[in-house]
């Protein structure tokens, strides 16, 4: 059986929602073979019934490919774009992190705890850019917005992982400074 599949070549081609879906499978199943098959189903968009028909060598190559992709440490990006019904929306990271509101802090603190709510954290960290001048920009004021939270499920995974590493590093630096 010949099967044509789209294999993401970088983390930027994987939306956050697929990663969240994959992590849920990993947590819910102890069967490594099943998890590997689901990984290919989720990230390549192939029905599971077709994944099980693939040659073992092809399956192993895909597993190695995704293992290599997820081993990457992506670079932090201040801006990125998501295609939406209204067209392409450019999002920018909070320009003045030390100036965040209490509401932003509380929402970030709660949504950064689990990957299944990470799209909500992304909607706090990154908001639509409303004005740009040279290399600076202004973003929409913070207000919890379910539409932006849902849209963030389509954020590129490299941006998402880099933002999580940013906050993890920041947290570690604050702990070290406090000691």
């Amino acid at each position: 059986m010949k099967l044509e599949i789209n294999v993401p070549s970088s983390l930027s081609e994987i939306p956050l929602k697929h990663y969240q879906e994959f992590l849920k499978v990993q947590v819910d199943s102890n069967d490594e073979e099943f998890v590997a098959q689901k990984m290919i189903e989720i990230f390549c968009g192939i029905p599971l019934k077709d994944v099980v028909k693939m040659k073992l060598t092809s399956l192993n190559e895909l597993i190695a490919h995704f293992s290599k992709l997820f081993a990457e440490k992506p670079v932090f990006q201040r801006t990125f774009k998501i295609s939406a019904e209204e067209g392409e929306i450019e999002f920018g990271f909070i320009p003045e992190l030390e100036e965040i509101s209490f509401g932003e802090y509380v929402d970030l603190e709660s949504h950064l705890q689990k990957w299944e709510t990470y799209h909500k954290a992304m909607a706090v960290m990154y908001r639509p850019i409303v004005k740009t001048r040279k290399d600076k920009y202004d973003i929409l004021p913070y207000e919890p917005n379910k539409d932006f939270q849902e849209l963030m499920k389509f954020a590129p995974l490299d941006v998402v992982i880099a933002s999580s590493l940013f906050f993890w590093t920041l947290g570690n630096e604050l702990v070290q400074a406090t000691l």
Side-chain angles (χ1 to χ4, degrees):
M1 171 184 167
K2 271 227 187 263
L3 185 63
E4 191 170 311
I5 61 173
N6 292 321
V7 180
S9 60
S10 70
L11 292 175
S12 65
E13 297 175 21
I14 299 173
L16 171 58
K17 72 178 200 162
H18 287 172
Y19 190 63
Q20 290 172 316
E21 189 180 336
F22 174 66
L23 290 177
K24 183 170 175 15
V25 169
Q26 271 189 320
V27 168
D28 293 346
S29 178
N30 293 332
D31 183 349
E32 286 183 30
E33 289 175 10
F34 176 73
V35 171
Q37 292 169 4
K38 288 296 283 183
M39 176 176 60
I40 293 163
E41 175 190 43
I42 292 166
F43 296 131
C44 298
I46 304 170
L48 193 58
K49 64 180 179 57
D50 292 335
V51 173
V52 297
K53 296 176 185 173
M54 292 175 69
K55 289 193 302 183
L56 182 60
T57 54
S58 298
L59 199 74
N60 287 335
E61 287 172 8
L62 285 170
I63 293 167
H65 171 74
F66 285 114
S67 295
K68 184 179 170 189
L69 271 187
F70 291 117
E72 293 176 8
K73 295 243 185 326
V75 176
F76 178 75
Q77 295 177 47
R78 289 176 32 125
T79 65
F80 70 94
K81 295 177 181 178
I82 296 179
S83 294
E85 289 178 11
E86 311 82 46
E88 202 166 59
I89 301 174
E90 186 171 21
F91 290 88
F93 190 77
I94 300 170
E96 300 290 332
L97 197 54
E98 58 277 348
E99 301 286 324
I100 66 171
S101 69
F102 181 67
E104 287 170 301
Y105 173 78
V106 168
D107 287 350
L108 265 177
E109 183 73 19
S110 72
H111 298 311
L112 285 172
Q113 302 298 320
K114 298 179 278 187
W115 274 102
E116 60 258 22
T117 59
Y118 210 86
H119 58 286
K120 294 178 181 181
M122 287 291 291
V124 177
M125 291 184 280
Y126 289 90
R127 297 197 291 279
I129 295 175
V130 292
K131 183 178 170 186
T132 59
R133 56 203 171 287
K134 295 190 181 175
D135 63 338
K136 299 207 184 283
Y137 56 83
D138 292 330
I139 57 176
L140 275 180
Y142 180 64
E143 194 173 301
N145 183 313
K146 290 198 183 304
D147 291 337
F148 287 142
Q149 291 173 353
E150 286 302 307
L151 195 55
M152 283 300 170
K153 289 181 177 181
F154 297 92
L157 194 54
D158 60 336
V159 173
V160 175
I161 289 175
S163 71
S164 72
L165 290 173
F166 172 82
F167 277 100
W168 182 80
T169 303
L170 181 64
N172 283 344
E173 288 173 4
L174 289 174
V175 167
Q176 294 301 321
T178 304
L179 294 176

